């Protein structure tokens, strides 16, 4: 018996010893295969204007499209110079040079080595003075090239303009003074003249979003007792003689019971300068709480604090695993095991500086399973790691069992984050078969993550050429290139990778209108009713509106005799239909809108985002778990990154040449369109600007003179041989030095757009149908006439304006006269605001 006990003891001891050795060996091997993400290594360059540091520039290590590098504008001094500062963060800078190019980047103007600088305590300060090869009030692209250690060259980009009429010092001083006063309620009283406070607005319920309409108490931080951490960073994003747009980034902290909570804050100012004073046109402040990992999970709740209530969250099918993103950090919480994994972030306790905190990237959760394994994408500027200084799409997988993060694929992109983000928000979806779908430069790709191959699914050439459901799972597009004469719709369920189609009988045409959840909304019209007007605008009167599921099965139908739908918008659970009544064949009259409600109950998840109301912090965002857990004792996991050999880079084909228009708002690109009218309309509402594919400015809000008149355009009268439209077109062409009688081309069936495109070869022809009168006067301000089509096939030219009236050349009366702005807007509105103009290249 004694020998048996000894044998059992020895066996147990050997087993435990063997287990210990094997574990040690496996862990040692695992350590060799994983590593921490490489720290940031690039310096930061900051420009200096009028003694004030502004425009913090982050370095790029790869090829970029210079035309789209417009995150910052630097105004040069009288001697065509500007100061600069390089924060080296310990890197060895062995050389600095500059390149000056045309704004679109195609023409090199100057290539110069910079020697006028000195280094003190890790900061290099110097001056850049451009040669006399640039013109005043003209935008250029400046590239600052910094060589590290005699080998690697990093590029930094800013637009520059040499001008003494932009009042940049006064505008920046205004922003700085406004910002500083907000911490002192007494000093802030001076700011009330700039505010338009409305106590009834939703803006007073949360500190996450504050704007010019918020209450004085709200805008001065209430009872939060915030303390600013470090110095705010100012960035001049747009500048003109009168207007300017400025972004300010900084951090603040609050304290409660001896513990500090930190927040990232961004302010947006839009200003208008006059000789008498500066007007604050727009002010917005966004405050986002930085997560404290040890305090995230509290008694069955994930407390996110002051942040956006629209939390990017995905849960496993059983609801036991919740993945969420907050403040550019991705977390995975397993309710069953009570473990919280900090899956991804460029910044952490050991890597927290201006380089890792740079927020020009996004994280999108793609998949999560019951085991806590997560697939996600990081797209935009890469702050650190193996792709530091590049812009691209990085696909990752998080292995919960091994607590590792591994890159699956990397897709490089040569345009900045905001351009990429606008496209990823349109479509980025990964199905269970590891096929990724995304839209890039007007093309939809299917990418096999396993094989590292891609295929082209759709090529879009029109704004309505692709419709995507909100969850990105279902896409719809019309067959053929002419979306207004399509007899079928293609429906693809990206989740199941299956395709269906909806067809209509001969003589009918079909048009996709949008989605309500995953249900598809489309309209049907008689092919004979679809007409192209002289302006080139398409009239598509739909006699029937239908809603179907992703299998093409009909769920609901709408239609009324003699009534036609021209447009459709979807908001929440309501469809709004713009309608017309046919008064005689081919002629329609607008009638009141109609609405279609969705009575389907919204599906709720097992774990839900809740908004808590607190006296001090106001709206406080949390994720309520499906069951109570001991959150305070949650184990915090920090994954390591898996090392691998070889490349996982997949380059997609070079973009095809197609004209698209990019709308820049307060925080970068907020829309990309094929139609200039849609772009200008969005930019007008966003107080932004529109750029074309080549980087040319197409339209800008504000900075318009009080009055202007195109004096070279004289009165002209229509005749029986040459109608009002012909006279207007002839006058536009004559104004540009081209003599042509356009009546012949109109009789031949050519549209206005075709005639102008053939005649004005060195211009961009702009169909601005649907834009408001105030928006199109931008071109008259630049001495470019605007053609306006009126009722009963009439046509006039807009040739002048002042603060009250607009100048009109009307061939029907043979005169140039003025009309009050409100009356003119109403007149043109009755004809659908059909405006056409051009812009010289």
């Amino acid at each position: 018996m004694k020998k048996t006990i000894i044998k059992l003891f020895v066996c147990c001891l050997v087993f435990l010893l063997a287990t210990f050795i094997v574990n040690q060996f496996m862990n040692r091997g695992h350590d060799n295969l994983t590593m921490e993400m490489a720290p940031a290594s690039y310096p930061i360059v900051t420009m200096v204007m009028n003694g004030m540091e502004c425009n913090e520039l982050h370095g790029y290590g790869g090829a970029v499209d210079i035309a789209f590098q417009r995150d910052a504008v630097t105004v040069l001094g009288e001697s065509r110079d500007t100061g600069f500062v390089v924060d080296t963060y310990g890197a060895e800078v062995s050389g600095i040079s500059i390149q000056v190019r045309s704004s679109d980047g195609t023409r090199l103007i100057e290539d110069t080595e910079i020697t006028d600088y000195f280094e003190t305590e890790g900061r290099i300060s110097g001056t850049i003075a451009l040669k006399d090869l640039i013109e005043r009030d003209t935008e250029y692209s400046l590239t600052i090239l910094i060589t590290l250690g005699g080998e690697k060259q990093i590029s930094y980009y800013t637009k520059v303009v040499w001008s003494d009429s932009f009042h940049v010092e006064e505008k920046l001083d205004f922003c700085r003074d406004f910002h500083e006063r907000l911490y002192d309620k007494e000093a802030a009283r001076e700011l009330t003249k700039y505010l338009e406070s409305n106590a009834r607005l939703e803006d007073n319920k949360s500190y996450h979003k504050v704007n010019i309409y918020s209450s004085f108490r709200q805008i001065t931080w209430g009872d939060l007792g915030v303390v600013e951490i470090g110095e705010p960073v100012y960035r001049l994003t747009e500048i003109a003689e009168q207007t300017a747009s400025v972004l300010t980034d900084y951090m603040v902290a609050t304290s409660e019971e001896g513990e500090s909570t930190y927040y990232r804050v961004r302010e947006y100012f839009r200003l208008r300068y006059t000789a008498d004073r500066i007007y604050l046109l727009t002010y917005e402040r966004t405050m986002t709480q930085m997560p404290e990992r040890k305090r995230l999970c509290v008694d069955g709740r994930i407390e996110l604090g002051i942040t956006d209530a629209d939390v990017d969250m995905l849960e496993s099918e059983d609801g036991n695993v919740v993945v969420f993103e907050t403040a550019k950090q991705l977390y995975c919480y397993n309710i069953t095991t009570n473990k919280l994994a900090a899956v991804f972030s460029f910044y952490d306790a050991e890597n927290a500086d201006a380089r890792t905190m740079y927020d020009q990237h996004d994280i999108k959760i793609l998949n999560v399973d019951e085991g806590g394994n997560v697939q996600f994408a990081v797209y935009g500027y890469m702050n650190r790691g193996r792709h530091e200084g590049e812009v691209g799409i990085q696909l990752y997988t998080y292995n919960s069992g091994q607590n590792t993060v591994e890159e699956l694929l990397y897709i490089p992109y040569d345009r900045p984050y905001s351009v990429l983000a606008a496209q990823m928000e349109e479509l980025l979806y990964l199905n269970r078969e590891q096929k990724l779908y995304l839209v890039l430069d007007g093309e939809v790709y299917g990418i096999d993550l396993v094989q590292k191959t891609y295929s082209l699914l759709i090529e879009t050439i029109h704004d309505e050429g692709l419709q995507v459901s909100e969850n990105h799972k279902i896409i719809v597009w019309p067959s053929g290139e002419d979306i207004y004469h399509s007899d079928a719709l293609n429906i693809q369920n990206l989740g199941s990778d299956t395709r269906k189609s909806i067809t209509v009988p001969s003589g009918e045409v079909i048009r996709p209108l949008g989605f309500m959840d995953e249900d598809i909304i489309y309209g049907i019209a008689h092919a004979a009713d679809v007409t192209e007007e002289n302006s080139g605008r398409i009239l598509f009167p739909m006699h029937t509106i239908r809603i179907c599921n992703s299998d093409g099965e009909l769920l609901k139908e709408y239609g009324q005799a003699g009534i036609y739908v021209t447009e459709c918008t979807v908001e929440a659970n309501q469809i709004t239909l713009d309608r017309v009544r046919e008064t005689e064949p081919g002629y329609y009259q607008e009638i009141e809108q109609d609405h279609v409600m969705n009575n389907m109950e919204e599906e709720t998840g097992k774990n839900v985002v809740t908004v808590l109301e607190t006296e001090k912090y106001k709206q406080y965002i949390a994720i309520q778990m499906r069951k109570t857990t001991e959150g305070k004792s949650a184990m915090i996991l920090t994954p390591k990154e898996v090392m691998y050999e070889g490349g996982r880079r997949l380059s997609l084909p070079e973009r095809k040449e197609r004209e698209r228009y990019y709308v820049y708002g307060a925080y970068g690109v907020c829309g990309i369109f094929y139609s200039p009218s849609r772009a200008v309309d969005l930019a007008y509402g966003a107080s932004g600007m529109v750029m074309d594919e080549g980087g040319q400015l197409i339209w800008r809000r504000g900075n318009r003179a009080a009055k202007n008149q195109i004096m070279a355009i004289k009165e002209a009268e229509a005749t029986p041989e040459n109608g009002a439209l012909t006279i207007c077109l002839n006058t536009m062409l004559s104004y540009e030095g081209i003599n042509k009688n356009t009546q012949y081309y109109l009789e031949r069936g050519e549209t206005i757009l075709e005639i102008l495109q053939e005649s004005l070869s060195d211009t961009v022809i702009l169909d601005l149908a649907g834009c408001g009168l105030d928006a199109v006067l931008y071109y008259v301000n630049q001495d470019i006439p605007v053609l306006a089509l009126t009722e009963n096939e009439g046509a006039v030219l807009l040739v002048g304006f002042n603060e009250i009236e607009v100048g009109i050349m009307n061939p029907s009366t043979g005169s140039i006269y003025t009309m009050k702005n409100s009356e003119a807007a109403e007149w043109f509105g009755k004809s659908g605001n059909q405006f056409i103009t051009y812009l010289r290249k």
Side-chain angles (χ1 to χ4, degrees):
M1 183 69 180
K2 187 175 181 181
K3 289 183 178 180
T4 302
I5 295 173
I6 293 173
K7 286 181 179 180
L8 287 172
F9 175 77
V10 171
C11 287
C12 291
L13 186 62
V14 170
F15 174 77
L16 292 172
L17 185 61
T19 301
F20 174 77
I21 293 172
V22 168
N23 283 337
Q24 289 296 309
F25 175 77
M26 290 181 66
N27 286 336
R28 187 181 301 118
H30 185 64
D31 286 341
N32 290 336
L33 296 175
T34 62
M35 61 176 289
E36 301 286 348
M37 184 190 300
S41 61
Y42 290 4
I44 286 179
V45 175
T46 306
M47 310 308 291
V48 181
M49 292 183 285
N50 300 105
M52 179 177 177
E53 291 190 15
C54 184
N55 295 347
E56 186 178 271
L57 310 180
H58 292 255
Y60 288 80
V64 302
D65 187 339
I66 291 178
F68 285 81
Q69 293 294 331
R70 53 182 323 103
D71 290 343
V73 183
T74 300
V75 180
L76 302 176
E78 183 58 32
S79 302
R80 302 182 301 279
D81 60 343
T82 179
F84 71 94
V85 174
V86 181
D87 285 292
T88 66
Y89 292 95
E92 180 191 348
V93 175
S94 54
I96 302 175
S97 62
I98 63 164
Q99 290 181 348
V100 181
R101 296 180 179 270
S102 55
S103 186
D104 62 4
T106 58
R107 183 167 56 95
L108 180 63
I109 297 169
E110 179 182 348
D111 189 346
T112 303
E113 184 178 356
I114 302 300
T115 57
D116 184 15
Y117 65 85
F118 58 92
E119 183 172 1
T120 305
E121 297 180 353
R123 279 171 60 94
I124 294 173
S125 302
T127 301
I128 296 171
L130 305 191
K131 297 176 181 178
D132 59 352
L133 303 173
I134 63 172
E135 298 178 1
R136 281 188 181 273
D137 301 317
T138 302
E139 186 180 85
Y140 296 89
S141 290
L142 171 66
T143 305
I144 301 172
L145 300 130
I146 293 183
T147 304
L148 301 182
E151 298 179 358
K152 190 172 181 63
Q153 197 170 64
I154 314 300
S155 302
Y156 301 80
Y157 301 94
T158 177
K159 297 297 183 187
V160 294
V161 61
W162 177 35
S163 178
D164 58 2
S165 61
F166 286 168
H167 311 285
V168 64
E169 184 175 5
E170 293 93 330
K171 292 171 183 176
L172 288 175
D173 283 345
F174 176 91
C175 296
R176 181 164 52 185
D177 180 69
F178 190 104
H179 168 82
E180 291 173 352
R181 286 178 182 272
L182 294 177
Y183 298 105
D184 183 336
K185 285 183 170 53
E186 194 58 40
R189 294 289 174 191
E190 289 291 321
L191 306 179
T192 55
K193 60 186 176 183
Y194 301 110
L195 305 180
E196 301 174 37
S197 299
N198 185 340
R200 295 172 297 175
L201 287 179
E202 291 293 315
D203 304 284
N204 292 311
K205 291 186 176 180
S206 171
Y207 285 112
H208 173 62
K209 289 285 187 182
V210 172
N211 58 39
I212 199 172
Y213 305 108
S214 299
S215 66
F216 176 79
R217 175 179 170 78
Q218 187 85 354
I219 211 167
T220 54
W221 305 99
D223 295 326
L224 291 180
V226 299
V227 177
E228 190 167 284
I229 309 297
E231 291 292 324
V233 177
Y234 292 86
R235 176 156 50 102
L236 188 62
T237 60
E238 187 258 333
I239 185 73
E241 185 174 344
Q242 295 180 22
T243 59
S245 295
V246 180
L247 288 177
T248 310
D249 292 294
Y250 55 98
M251 292 194 67
V252 298
T254 60
S255 182
E256 190 167 341
E257 297 179 357
E259 290 188 325
S260 295
T261 302
Y262 297 91
Y263 308 83
R264 298 179 71 159
V265 186
R266 170 165 288 174
E267 288 177 315
Y268 169 68
F269 298 87
R270 182 164 176 80
L271 315 172
R272 183 162 66 89
Y273 177 90
T274 69
D276 300 323
R277 57 172 288 191
I278 290 179
Y279 292 87
L280 181 62
L281 303 177
T282 305
Y283 174 77
E284 295 174 356
R285 186 175 73 215
T286 305
M287 180 182 189
T288 303
Q289 187 165 321
M290 303 287 289
E292 176 57 50
R293 296 174 183 178
K294 294 180 180 179
R295 289 185 275 156
L296 260 177
C297 300
V298 180
D299 298 330
R301 217 171 46 223
I302 297 173
E303 296 196 345
L304 305 179
I306 298 175
T307 188
D308 194 339
D310 186 15
V311 179
D312 185 13
M313 182 186 82
L314 192 64
E315 58 187 359
S316 59
E317 289 187 6
D318 60 8
N320 286 328
V321 179
V322 181
V323 185
F324 60 95
E325 183 270 333
T326 182
K328 307 289 184 179
Q329 298 189 41
L330 184 65
Y331 291 91
C332 176
Y333 180 58
N334 191 315
I335 300 173
T336 305
T337 62
N338 198 24
K339 293 180 180 178
L340 177 71
V343 176
F344 184 89
S345 175
F346 281 126
Y347 63 88
D348 52 40
E350 290 74 34
N351 296 274
D353 58 42
R355 299 170 300 175
T356 57
M357 298 285 284
Y358 190 48
D359 68 348
Q360 296 298 287
H361 64 275
D362 278 318
I363 302 170
K364 182 174 177 64
I365 308 162
L366 299 172
N367 276 330
V368 56
D369 64 23
E370 288 79 0
N373 303 306
V374 183
Q375 288 179 299
F376 62 98
V378 180
Y379 58 85
Y381 180 88
M382 303 297 164
N383 302 27
R384 52 185 279 226
R386 57 172 59 92
H387 303 294
E388 181 182 4
E390 295 184 42
V391 172
I393 308 161
Q394 200 168 13
L395 278 300
Y396 276 111
T397 183
Y398 167 65
N399 187 308
S400 176
Q402 298 181 6
N403 193 35
T404 57
V405 171
E406 181 177 0
E407 179 187 289
L408 301 176
L409 191 72
Y410 179 73
I411 303 169
Y413 193 61
D414 66 345
R415 289 180 173 175
Y417 155 74
S418 63
V419 178
L420 180 60
Q423 299 173 92
M424 295 301 97
E425 289 167 8
E426 184 178 0
L427 177 62
L428 182 62
Y429 183 85
L430 179 66
N431 66 20
R432 297 288 184 178
E433 283 67 47
Q434 299 302 288
K435 194 162 185 180
L436 179 76
Y437 293 92
L438 56 85
V439 62
L440 206 60
D441 298 325
E443 296 178 330
V444 177
Y445 292 98
I447 299 172
D448 189 321
L449 295 189
V450 178
Q451 300 297 326
K452 310 292 188 293
T453 58
Y454 68 86
S455 60
L456 177 63
L457 182 64
I458 310 166
E459 182 179 345
T460 64
I461 56 174
H462 194 280
D463 289 327
E464 297 178 12
L466 176 70
Q467 302 279 351
V468 183
S469 63
E470 187 176 354
N471 63 4
H472 292 198
K473 186 178 179 180
I474 314 296
I475 61 173
V476 176
W477 69 98
S479 61
E481 292 188 358
D482 185 352
I483 69 167
Y484 293 112
H485 294 87
S486 174
D487 60 359
L489 291 184
N490 300 298
I491 305 171
Q492 184 144 340
N493 185 323
L494 303 182
S496 59
D497 213 8
T498 56
R499 185 180 297 187
K500 301 282 185 179
S501 65
I502 301 173
T503 59
V504 291
S506 177
E508 302 274 86
V509 286
I510 188 170
R511 175 185 168 191
L513 298 173
F515 281 87
M516 183 169 279
D517 296 324
E518 292 184 9
D519 295 333
I520 302 146
I521 308 167
Y522 64 93
I524 302 173
H526 301 301
D529 292 342
V530 179
T531 56
E532 183 176 10
E533 300 173 346
N534 257 338
S535 67
R537 188 179 70 163
I538 302 295
L539 178 64
F540 196 96
M542 295 166 279
H543 59 76
T544 302
I545 303 296
R546 289 178 178 169
I547 303 175
C548 72
N549 61 22
S550 59
D551 290 324
E553 298 168 344
L554 183 63
L555 302 176
K556 187 177 290 188
E557 183 173 284
Y558 172 94
Q560 295 180 10
I563 304 298
Y564 298 86
V565 175
T566 55
E567 292 296 338
C568 161
T569 55
V570 181
E571 188 173 350
N573 65 335
Q574 178 175 279
I575 304 172
T576 300
L577 305 174
D578 294 338
R579 306 186 303 161
V580 295
R581 175 183 286 111
E582 188 173 31
T583 55
E584 56 181 287
Y587 291 89
Y588 302 89
Q589 180 182 12
E590 287 186 12
I591 61 174
E592 72 280 359
Q593 294 177 327
D594 201 358
H595 306 280
V596 179
M597 303 297 295
N598 177 19
N599 298 322
M600 296 174 60
E601 292 186 10
E602 188 175 345
E603 225 178 280
T604 56
K606 302 175 182 69
N607 305 283
V608 295
V609 176
T610 60
V611 180
L612 309 175
E613 301 289 343
T614 69
E615 185 175 347
K616 180 177 179 179
Y617 297 100
K618 297 201 172 185
Q619 287 191 349
Y620 205 78
I621 309 303
I623 301 173
Q624 185 64 51
M625 296 290 97
R626 60 190 292 267
K627 62 181 181 181
T628 303
T629 60
E630 293 298 328
K632 291 184 179 179
S633 60
M635 181 184 294
I636 310 296
L637 304 177
T638 304
K640 289 190 176 183
E641 190 170 350
V642 175
M643 299 172 60
Y644 60 83
E645 294 182 0
R648 297 186 179 178
R649 179 182 293 250
L650 178 67
S651 296
L652 297 179
E654 290 186 9
R655 69 178 61 86
K656 295 180 180 178
E657 288 190 14
R658 49 168 67 93
E659 192 59 77
R660 297 200 299 169
Y661 300 91
Y662 298 78
V663 181
Y664 285 80
Y667 308 102
V669 174
C670 56
I672 304 173
F673 300 93
Y674 288 98
S675 163
S677 63
R678 292 192 177 195
V680 169
D681 194 46
L682 176 60
Y684 184 84
S687 297
M689 60 184 179
V690 179
M691 311 295 296
D692 70 5
E693 196 70 41
Q696 179 177 356
L697 178 66
I698 298 296
W699 186 91
R700 172 183 278 159
R701 178 75 186 267
N703 206 48
R704 199 172 75 200
K707 60 182 179 178
N708 191 48
Q709 178 81 25
I710 306 176
M711 303 304 297
I713 293 182
K714 307 299 183 182
E715 297 174 344
E717 188 171 4
T719 65
E721 295 79 20
N722 294 316
L725 178 57
T726 299
I727 296 298
C728 286
L729 287 172
N730 291 347
T731 302
M732 292 177 81
L733 296 181
S734 177
Y735 178 65
E736 292 296 329
I738 298 169
N739 293 316
K740 179 184 286 188
N741 188 343
T742 58
Q743 181 66 32
Y744 166 76
Y745 300 95
L746 289 171
E747 290 175 352
R748 202 168 65 175
E750 291 190 26
T751 66
I752 298 169
L753 296 176
E754 290 170 340
I755 293 171
L756 292 176
Q757 286 166 349
E758 291 168 3
S759 306
L760 301 174
S761 57
D762 200 30
T763 65
V764 179
I765 308 301
L766 301 170
D767 177 3
L768 301 179
C771 295
L773 172 63
D774 191 57
V776 301
L777 290 179
Y778 167 86
Y779 300 96
V780 181
N781 185 61
Q782 300 192 52
D783 293 327
I784 298 174
V786 176
L787 172 65
L789 302 181
T790 61
E791 296 175 299
N792 302 319
E793 300 183 354
V796 300
L797 288 182
L798 306 182
V799 296
F801 64 87
N802 57 34
E803 294 179 342
I804 302 172
E805 300 168 318
V806 60
I808 296 172
M809 193 280 277
N810 191 341
S812 298
T813 62
S815 62
I816 294 177
Y817 58 86
T818 60
M819 181 183 289
K820 288 186 177 180
N821 288 331
S822 58
E823 294 175 2
E826 183 180 357
W827 183 33
F828 296 131
K830 288 179 179 178
S831 302
N833 284 329
Q834 296 188 64
F835 299 112
I836 297 174
T837 189
Y838 59 91
L839 195 64
R840 304 177 189 97
K841 291 183 180 178

